[in-house]
Amino acid sequence: MSGDLRTVAYDVLVVGAGGAGLRAAIEASAAGVSVGVVSKSLLGKAHTVMAEGGIAAALANVDDRDSWRVHFADTMRGGGYVNHPRMAELHAKEAPARVHELEAWGALFDRTPDGRILQRNFGGHRYPRLAHVGDRTGLEMIRTLQDHGVHAGISLHMEHTITALFRDGARIAGALAYDRERGRFTLLEAKAIVLATGGIGRAFSITSNSWEYTGDGLALAYEAGADLLDMEFVQFHPTGMVWPLSVRGILVTEGVRGEGGVLRNSEGKRFMFDQIPELYANQTAPDAEEGWRYCQGDKAARRPPELLTRDHVARCIMREIRAGRGSPHGGVFLDIAWIRERMQDSEAHIKRKLPSMYHQFKELAGIDITKEPMEVGPTTHYMMGGVRVEPETQMSTVPGLFAAGESAAGLHGANRLGGNSLSDLLVFGKRAGEYAARFARQSTPSKCDRAEVEAAERRALAPFDGATANGEGPYALQHELQTAMQDQVGIVRREDEMRSALETIDQLRARAELVRVYGNREYNPGWHTALDLRHSLTVSEAITRAAIERRESRGAQFREDYAEKDPVLGKVNIVVRKGADGRMVVARDPVPPMSDEQRTIIEEMK
Ligand SMILES: Cc1cc2nc3c(=O)[nH]c(=O)nc-3n(C[C@H](O)[C@H](O)[C@H](O)COP(=O)(O)OP(=O)(O)OC[C@H]3O[C@@H](n4cnc5c(N)ncnc54)[C@H](O)[C@@H]3O)c2cc1C
């Protein structure tokens, strides 16, 4: 079986070449250990490249009232207070230094008139806080990290997919990869592994996420014995494209609303003024006039309700659609063109501030956003849940296994604020790299059990075996899973529907074990999908079980059958792990307590 198995050993193996993976690899390499990076796609194609709006960091360049304390309080409030407070504190404190570092490495941010990094408004952030490069911030970030990383002596395995992790006793020992082009296996042995594999959006049918987001890192960690946390909290971004159908789900950045874009229903009403949550009442503009002044940088003005947190805006949009006040293609209207009433050069301004959005709608929908409103609706966007990690080091509950970026959990709690992901990648990517290197330096080499490796190879090749496979292809199963998750574990949830989804997932898992692919191992997308599907099934089950367990509505989780917050559940995180019998176990763990200083900040900022 392992006749053609190549073996490579590193001190630190990083799985993922997005912002988190590259930042971790740079840090580990700087610590003097050998580093390998594996990525499903080509370098430069990771999901981070798609990020648009910006990186949240309390630089206070545009509003000097901003500070790490305000950023911390905003993040906790947005997360429904089930975030890990220490992670939120580290993130708020360290993000400015990470942005400056990125600038020193060559990132060219938009500028204030006096030459500092420009910051823009985004939902849930009290002050303009997002450092950005037009609406192409992710591209600049990944370009900068790549340029820096390739000079740091990191070994790259592009277009390689990890299908299994191995342990040596309790600690992590290595990973099995197949190369997508030729279908050959490589065993990557490592003293420490950093998972930076991003999110899970492809488990749903409407999503802003790329093909890579099949939840691999989460499923691999779960199978290796690590805890998953907050899996019920899947973010549905309020504004994805809804038309034409072929582009449904593609993101429309929150930056549109940050620049003054407003949401209207089919009656032309700005419906976001109808329902302002208690927690945000004293921070929200009472009328359109004050909201516009906020978008123009008036420090005395409060933000318009379109810039409330994503969970709330998404639910308000759903309310309008369900009440029959939606747009012709099942969304609502997002209008930035209206600013011509306030601005002479509005057309040039929109094209300068939102070049990708202008291009996206022009090319894909034949709409000129400087002249007409867009049609938008919620889209599966981001995973707040993921691998449970220790805040300072990012180590999971498996010694030597680390996680960072979207694949890790804790920072965002029940709902992520826009811009807090790119800063998360930098802050915790750096920490993961640093502590993984430290762990590796203090460890003796670990060994992967050859029998386990061979079993993993056999399992990966099973879909080619005509004798055991039942002839069903992987795409139909993937489609069925996406439909079940979208319809029954989506933006509005109910216990009976989620229980039905669990039954579907169970049946699909049995069928996925027998799935059949044709052709050979060389660049075979059917085979790749068959393997990715297993990961998506694991994360889908974890999401559904955790969502059933949280019988309340908080942040991104909206339960029609438990529409209110439950103070008891507000004190717990839901944990998912593999039980001794191989079945998924769901448990409740207390939310880590806040320090006295953190509590004081929250009280002061209310
Ligand atoms: C359209 C869009 C716009 C966004 N805009 C913003 C924004 O403005 N600000 C913000 O803060 N956030 C934004 N986000 C969210 C943010 O971009 C992501 O959360 C973030 O980029 C994730 O980075 P990451 O490093 O964790 O993962 P990624 O960048 O997704 O990288 C994951 C890596 O893991 C690799 N990988 C996955 N599975 C495997 C496997 N089995 N084997 C080997 N390699 C594997 C992939 O190939 C890839 O290299 C946006 C998201 C989208 C979709």
Side-chain angles (χ1 to χ4, degrees):
M1 173 64 56
S2 49
D4 63 351
L5 182 72
R6 196 164 71 101
T7 302
V8 188
Y10 296 107
D11 292 317
V12 174
L13 176 69
V14 178
V15 187
L22 288 173
R23 189 62 193 82
I26 289 169
E27 200 63 19
S29 179
V33 299
S34 63
V35 180
V37 175
V38 194
S39 124
K40 260 179 165 180
S41 53
L42 293 170
L43 193 61
K45 297 282 182 187
H47 205 273
T48 298
V49 79
M50 294 160 74
E52 294 163 355
I55 312 172
L59 301 163
N61 285 353
V62 173
D63 195 318
D64 56 15
R65 291 171 298 179
D66 205 7
S67 68
W68 78 262
R69 295 159 70 88
V70 190
H71 194 182
F72 167 77
D74 287 351
T75 301
M76 293 297 293
R77 188 187 299 111
Y81 298 106
V82 293
N83 333 44
H84 196 308
R86 179 65 180 149
M87 282 182 86
E89 179 184 338
L90 288 171
H91 168 253
K93 279 182 171 164
E94 294 177 9
R98 297 286 77 77
V99 170
H100 282 134
E101 180 180 70
L102 206 62
E103 187 184 36
W105 291 348
L108 295 168
F109 289 102
D110 286 7
R111 298 274 149 194
T112 60
D114 63 352
R116 290 176 297 159
I117 295 174
L118 183 60
Q119 298 184 272
R120 66 159 45 122
N121 291 312
F122 240 57
H125 293 282
R126 184 178 283 208
Y127 302 121
R129 192 176 279 147
L130 268 67
H132 59 278
V133 184
D135 54 6
R136 294 174 183 149
T137 313
L139 175 62
E140 188 67 0
M141 182 173 184
I142 208 103
R143 186 191 64 73
T144 307
L145 290 175
Q146 266 174 214
D147 281 1
H148 200 76
V150 291
H151 293 108
I154 298 160
S155 302
L156 279 169
H157 302 262
M158 290 193 274
E159 297 206 294
H160 279 64
T161 301
I162 302 291
T163 62
L165 297 178
F166 307 106
R167 286 187 359 197
D168 183 351
R171 56 182 270 223
I172 205 72
L176 182 71
Y178 69 88
D179 101 67
R180 300 172 75 83
E181 208 178 328
R182 294 180 318 121
R184 302 289 169 232
F185 291 113
T186 303
L187 176 64
L188 298 135
E189 292 188 309
K191 295 177 187 166
I193 295 183
V194 180
L195 293 172
T197 52
I200 57 92
R202 285 281 154 176
F204 293 80
S205 49
I206 302 176
T207 180
S208 63
N209 292 176
S210 78
W211 63 272
E212 295 191 278
Y213 268 29
T214 45
D216 302 10
L218 281 65
L220 291 165
Y222 167 85
E223 292 296 340
D227 283 1
L228 302 181
L229 190 82
D230 293 341
M231 291 297 288
E232 67 276 30
F233 296 129
V234 178
Q235 180 168 81
F236 299 94
H237 193 291
T239 57
M241 292 180 81
V242 294
W243 187 258
L245 277 184
S246 57
V247 296
R248 190 165 190 174
I250 290 184
L251 194 74
V252 181
T253 177
E254 203 161 309
V256 176
R257 285 170 281 140
E259 299 297 339
V262 299
L263 289 164
R264 291 206 176 91
N265 63 20
S266 57
E267 295 161 4
K269 185 178 182 200
R270 259 183 92 174
F271 57 84
M272 285 305 301
F273 279 108
D274 291 354
Q275 195 189 348
I276 300 191
E278 190 61 38
L279 209 56
Y280 287 92
N282 62 5
Q283 294 183 13
T284 308
D287 52 44
E289 189 56 41
E290 184 171 331
W292 172 247
R293 282 196 281 114
Y294 177 91
C295 293
Q296 292 309 291
D298 179 346
K299 289 185 182 171
R302 286 162 292 175
R303 69 180 148 227
E306 278 85 0
L307 289 178
L308 283 163
T309 53
R310 289 175 175 178
D311 51 338
H312 178 73
V313 180
R315 276 196 293 279
C316 290
I317 291 176
M318 287 303 287
R319 183 193 64 210
E320 295 304 306
I321 296 169
R322 285 175 155 208
R325 297 187 290 266
S327 64
H329 300 104
V332 293
F333 295 105
L334 172 61
D335 189 5
I336 182 80
W338 82 275
I339 67 171
R340 62 177 166 251
E341 296 167 20
R342 306 284 180 137
M343 222 181 234
Q344 269 185 350
D345 58 347
S346 67
E347 214 173 299
H349 178 80
I350 294 168
K351 285 182 189 165
R352 189 173 64 250
K353 284 297 192 181
L354 302 161
S356 299
M357 287 304 107
Y358 174 76
H359 180 79
Q360 182 172 308
F361 274 89
K362 196 88 182 131
E363 293 299 314
L364 300 177
I367 298 259
D368 180 346
I369 67 168
T370 67
K371 298 192 172 70
E372 314 159 72
M374 299 156 250
E375 273 189 74
V376 296
T379 180
T380 314
H381 183 59
Y382 184 86
M383 185 54 171
M384 271 74 72
V387 181
R388 181 187 206 168
V389 290
E390 201 277 322
E392 319 280 331
T393 64
Q394 297 286 285
M395 189 155 87
S396 73
T397 46
V398 172
L401 181 63
F402 297 74
E406 193 168 340
S407 59
L411 168 61
H412 309 292
N415 175 50
R416 174 180 71 94
L417 301 186
N420 269 2
S421 171
L422 293 189
S423 42
D424 172 7
L425 312 183
L426 296 174
V427 168
F428 292 107
K430 176 185 186 295
R431 282 183 166 269
E434 178 183 340
Y435 285 93
R438 194 177 293 188
F439 185 94
R441 260 208 251 96
Q442 291 165 355
S443 306
T444 51
S446 46
K447 271 275 153 245
C448 300
D449 181 306
R450 290 297 147 148
E452 277 181 35
V453 176
E454 283 187 17
E457 285 181 76
R458 269 196 304 278
R459 186 162 145 67
L461 293 174
F464 287 109
D465 185 348
T468 53
N470 69 2
E472 256 189 309
Y475 295 109
L477 270 61
Q478 188 185 46
H479 181 71
E480 279 184 53
L481 175 67
Q482 290 167 338
T483 306
M485 290 302 287
Q486 185 73 39
D487 294 349
Q488 298 182 313
V489 199
I491 193 163
V492 179
R493 296 170 172 173
R494 281 190 358 215
E495 182 138 352
D496 55 342
E497 291 185 351
M498 290 194 282
R499 294 224 172 264
S500 152
L502 273 184
E503 282 173 26
T504 307
I505 292 166
D506 251 11
Q507 290 159 11
L508 288 172
R509 180 172 294 102
R511 285 161 60 194
E513 285 302 315
L514 302 174
V515 91
R516 175 86 161 110
V517 297
Y518 296 91
N520 58 35
R521 284 160 67 175
E522 290 178 5
Y523 212 95
N524 186 330
W527 182 39
H528 303 167
T529 303
L531 300 184
D532 292 346
L533 179 62
R534 295 173 184 167
H535 300 312
S536 290
L537 284 163
T538 303
V539 294
S540 296
E541 181 180 349
I543 291 167
T544 311
R545 289 197 186 279
I548 291 174
E549 179 71 10
R550 187 172 285 284
R551 291 184 176 82
E552 66 155 356
S553 294
R554 179 177 301 272
Q557 150 119 330
F558 180 69
R559 291 279 305 251
E560 205 169 40
D561 45 357
Y562 297 93
E564 302 302 323
K565 283 197 174 90
D566 176 340
V568 175
L569 287 164
K571 293 189 170 57
V572 297
N573 294 116
I574 309 291
V575 177
V576 173
R577 61 175 73 96
K578 195 169 187 172
D581 61 358
R583 292 229 275 257
M584 202 172 266
V585 176
V586 179
R588 296 179 181 190
D589 263 16
V591 174
M594 284 194 228
S595 66
D596 289 346
E597 186 192 18
Q598 290 168 344
R599 217 168 300 116
T600 308
I601 295 171
I602 298 291
E603 283 307 315
E604 277 173 12
M605 306 279 167
K606 263 189 179 154

